[in-house]
Amino acid sequence: MTIDRRAFLKQTAAAFAAAPFLTVGATAADGFRELTARKAKIKLADPDGPTSDLWGYDGTVPGPIIRAKRGETLRIRFRNALDEPTSVHWHGIRIDNAMDGVSGLTQDAVEPGESFDYVFTVPDAGTYWYHAHNKSWNEVARGLYGLLVVDEDEPLFAPEADISFVLDDWLLDDSGRFDVASLGNMMDWSHGGRTGNRLTVNGVTRPDVAVETGRWYRVRLLNACNSRILYFDPNRVGGKVIAYDGQPVGEARKLDYSPHLIGPAQRVDLVLTFDRPGSVPISLETEDKEKPYPFATFRVANGSAAAPALPAIPGTDLPVPDLSAAKHFKLLMEGGAMGRIGHLTYEGKPITRQVMMESRRMWGFNGITNFPDEPFFSVKRGETVVIDTVNQTAFPHAMHTHGHHFQVIDRSGSEVAETPWRDTFLIGPEQTTRIAFVADNPGKWLYHCHMLEHAAAGMTTWFEVT
Ligand code: C2O
Ligand code: CU
């Protein structure tokens, strides 16, 4: 018995109604596709529950999935229909610097009622995302993000076998609405950032996904939380990892450790098959190993008996760092609750309690809590950069490089066995992490913690490639 094709597609469409596809290419006469940030009334917790006041791209949360082919040039006319300035960052894309979307560094924020044309080429196939990059702690928390999927030259999986799960944790108040009043809470800023009490997947709770036996599925996971680290064990669903942060790892691999940590902004791509019909939950790990938290359910129908061979996943073509000729830099992370704050400065002034309350800065990079006028470092195009990031805080962080992917080559003195390419890495308290990359993309690029409250409270710096 094979499942009725139309019913299958309808079911899939229903599960993903919250994330419609934006077909880039079917556009206005001048070739631009519009994308609008606007206010949206959305029922977050359950379809019969109260509505939350959110902000969404095209009024949906997550925003539409933007889909392109590797090497394609995207033309997106972004309109700001909000009451406050914003800009759009294309996270993980090795992009032309002028299109990186960082308010205050690569462009001015787009004022309410104004628009900005983003025109850029996507050089790498994989799972990327886009999100607001002006007061991100506020704008991303309210829903301004979406997936950006770049397809391989030859699509590896049919559209219905290409599944994405955008995970976000929302802080709901007692009435079940998005808690606006607690945005900017200093306790969150000085500790682990804002974390929520409700998990959504593609904007809904625990969606069902229709699949069938005997074929391969690609599953793209994105952690869109402001600050929460997700614990995930792909082995529970028999998943093999094929990519991190958009970049393929080579051969699909089964992880031999658990749990796997997915930090804010990180992506993991898996491949999966199902060998018998039924219901298969896909879960996050909890403190209790026996009680994983299912965030979606695969409804497996009878298809073919055995899956064909897994399609070969093309590798990356990122430039390999030349460690023998590298420029070395060191970033010291300090501050936060239970951390050293006393000698940090904000615009030249020592961080006293009063300066901290007024500036809302309590984390520092190399002693400085304000966004620095001078770059952390400046290198010539093509040079290999090695950064030692030293976490002397009591919290983990998720460090993100704009415009470049890197390899983690050393963690607190022990060489790292696997060195996949990433654009965001997790670093634990008292840990030192060494990353390396070829700085081949000219411009001004951020290096910041992707726990968005930390980024706003001092954990943001930048480097320059000339
Ligand atoms: Cu996801 Cu500064 O970015
Ligand atoms: Cu952080």
Side-chain angles (χ1 to χ4, degrees):
M1 187 200 99
T2 51
I3 186 166
D4 175 75
R5 193 105 204 134
R6 265 207 334 248
F8 173 79
L9 288 173
K10 207 167 132 220
Q11 218 176 335
T12 310
F16 292 96
F21 280 83
L22 173 81
T23 327
V24 173
T27 55
D30 63 357
F32 276 86
R33 192 68 165 78
E34 294 208 349
L35 183 73
T36 304
R38 62 171 84 254
K39 295 180 184 173
K41 298 255 183 223
I42 288 179
K43 292 182 191 296
L44 266 181
D46 71 89
D48 307 314
T51 52
S52 289
D53 290 312
L54 304 181
W55 300 347
Y57 292 112
D58 291 353
T60 69
V61 176
I65 297 177
I66 297 178
R67 200 154 194 134
K69 221 183 178 36
R70 189 173 80 97
E72 188 178 333
T73 298
L74 292 179
R75 290 184 175 76
I76 295 174
R77 180 154 299 143
F78 169 66
R79 293 192 187 281
N80 182 6
L82 300 169
D83 297 333
E84 68 164 57
T86 186
S87 59
V88 189
H89 169 56
W90 313 91
H91 182 119
I93 302 292
R94 295 190 289 147
I95 203 168
D96 174 9
N97 190 246
M99 296 292 134
D100 200 37
V102 178
S103 296
L105 185 69
T106 64
Q107 68 171 96
D108 291 332
V110 183
E111 294 297 325
E114 301 288 307
S115 71
F116 187 93
D117 288 350
Y118 289 99
V119 180
F120 58 95
T121 301
V122 286
D124 305 305
T127 305
Y128 298 93
W129 66 305
Y130 61 101
H131 63 78
H133 216 303
N134 184 48
K135 294 198 191 159
S136 313
W137 59 272
N138 177 31
E139 300 190 346
V140 175
R142 292 178 190 254
L144 288 173
Y145 60 80
L147 264 193
L148 170 51
V149 173
V150 183
D151 283 317
E152 290 76 13
D153 300 342
E154 293 301 327
L156 301 176
F157 299 84
E160 74 278 7
D162 191 332
I163 297 163
S164 28
F165 293 128
V166 177
L167 278 60
D168 194 4
D169 68 335
W170 301 85
L171 187 57
L172 304 185
D173 63 19
D174 293 341
S175 72
R177 294 179 172 82
F178 176 69
D179 190 351
V180 176
S182 66
L183 278 164
N185 177 313
M186 283 288 257
M187 190 73 169
D188 293 343
W189 284 41
S190 58
H191 290 70
R194 179 181 173 95
T195 49
N197 48 18
R198 165 67 63 148
L199 187 86
T200 60
V201 179
N202 305 332
V204 299
T205 304
R206 287 195 187 162
D208 282 349
V209 184
V211 294
E212 56 186 54
T213 60
R215 65 184 297 187
W216 284 101
Y217 290 88
R218 177 181 194 149
V219 174
R220 306 172 188 267
L221 289 171
L222 159 66
N223 179 351
C225 301
N226 266 35
S227 287
R228 182 186 289 275
I229 297 170
L230 303 173
Y231 295 76
F232 177 69
D233 181 358
N235 293 325
R236 281 197 195 267
V237 279
K240 292 181 178 172
V241 174
I242 56 167
Y244 289 113
D245 295 353
Q247 298 289 339
V249 295
E251 207 159 316
R253 61 183 64 168
K254 186 174 175 303
L255 292 187
D256 56 3
Y257 57 90
S258 172
H260 183 65
L261 273 50
I262 311 177
Q266 290 189 320
R267 287 87 67 211
V268 180
D269 285 28
L270 309 173
V271 287
L272 289 179
T273 53
F274 302 91
D275 47 16
R276 68 183 73 90
S279 289
V280 178
I282 178 166
S283 311
L284 295 175
E285 301 299 305
T286 66
E287 275 158 39
D288 184 347
K289 186 116 185 72
E290 306 303 313
K291 289 205 185 76
Y293 173 85
F295 63 83
T297 308
F298 295 108
R299 304 285 176 202
V300 190
N302 235 331
S304 332
L310 181 65
I313 318 284
T316 73
D317 54 6
L318 295 176
V320 177
D322 174 8
L323 297 179
S324 67
K327 294 264 157 75
H328 287 254
F329 304 97
K330 181 172 162 180
L331 189 85
L332 182 60
M333 315 174 87
E334 290 172 296
M338 297 166 286
R340 293 204 310 160
I341 294 192
H343 67 291
L344 298 177
T345 62
Y346 173 71
E347 291 180 346
K349 297 187 293 274
I351 288 274
T352 57
R353 189 162 178 82
Q354 193 193 344
V355 173
M356 186 167 93
M357 295 314 277
E358 283 167 12
S359 66
R360 305 180 59 84
R361 306 297 168 116
M362 68 288 287
W363 302 91
F365 282 165
N366 291 342
I368 299 168
T369 67
N370 49 280
F371 185 70
D373 295 333
E374 295 298 316
F376 166 34
F377 60 80
S378 178
V379 291
K380 294 222 163 27
R381 182 178 192 174
E383 284 185 312
T384 289
V385 170
V386 169
I387 307 175
D388 280 321
T389 303
V390 182
N391 181 5
Q392 289 191 352
T393 78
F395 292 86
H397 302 283
M399 292 296 294
H400 169 48
T401 50
H402 280 222
H404 300 79
H405 275 67
F406 53 79
Q407 289 180 301
V408 172
I409 53 174
D410 185 297
R411 212 176 261 124
S412 293
S414 50
E415 260 179 51
V416 181
E418 289 181 7
T419 55
W421 294 98
R422 304 216 68 138
D423 60 40
T424 307
F425 69 90
L426 277 170
I427 180 167
E430 305 303 325
Q431 209 173 51
T432 295
T433 300
R434 175 173 288 186
I435 64 168
F437 61 96
V438 179
D440 62 346
N441 199 353
K444 297 176 173 179
W445 304 104
L446 287 188
Y447 184 47
H448 68 90
C449 180
H450 220 289
M451 293 173 171
L452 299 174
E453 290 72 26
H454 294 171
M459 289 197 150
T460 305
T461 188
W462 62 287
F463 61 94
E464 188 167 34
V465 182
T466 60

